[in-house]
Amino acid sequence: CVGCVWGWWYKFIDGSNKKQAVILDDRIKQVSGTLIIREAKVDDSGKYLCVVNNSVGGESVETVLTVTGKFIF
């Protein structure tokens, strides 16, 4: 999410209100608050939440990622 410079990303668990922190690794990175998923897989599909907090308050935004299959070029 734009503006999530010091944010945390979560992924909702299978259509529920429960969420888990996104684990960053070589394939999944956070750069200037933007969540980057390289070589996205169908399992990466779902609803994501970016949460930011600072001394003035907090903000959050949700987004949905849909991966339909492997891209072959």
Side-chain angles (χ1 to χ4, degrees):
C1 67
V2 176
C4 291
V5 176
W6 301 108
W8 294 269
W9 281 93
Y10 300 90
K11 183 179 180 188
F12 287 90
I13 300 169
D14 296 328
S16 72
N17 287 332
K18 296 180 182 180
K19 58 189 176 295
Q20 62 185 22
V22 173
I23 298 171
L24 304 177
D25 57 24
D26 290 338
R27 193 176 68 84
I28 302 174
K29 299 182 182 303
Q30 181 176 332
V31 177
S32 298
T34 301
L35 187 65
I36 299 172
I37 303 175
R38 294 177 358 144
E39 300 176 15
K41 303 173 184 177
V42 173
D43 289 345
D44 294 321
S45 295
K47 185 165 64 169
Y48 289 81
L49 174 71
C50 181
V51 179
V52 292
N53 292 293
N54 63 22
S55 60
V56 196
E59 196 67 46
S60 65
V61 65
E62 294 179 3
T63 190
V64 175
L65 172 67
T66 303
V67 181
T68 56
K70 188 173 183 176
F71 180 72
I72 300 173
F73 58 96

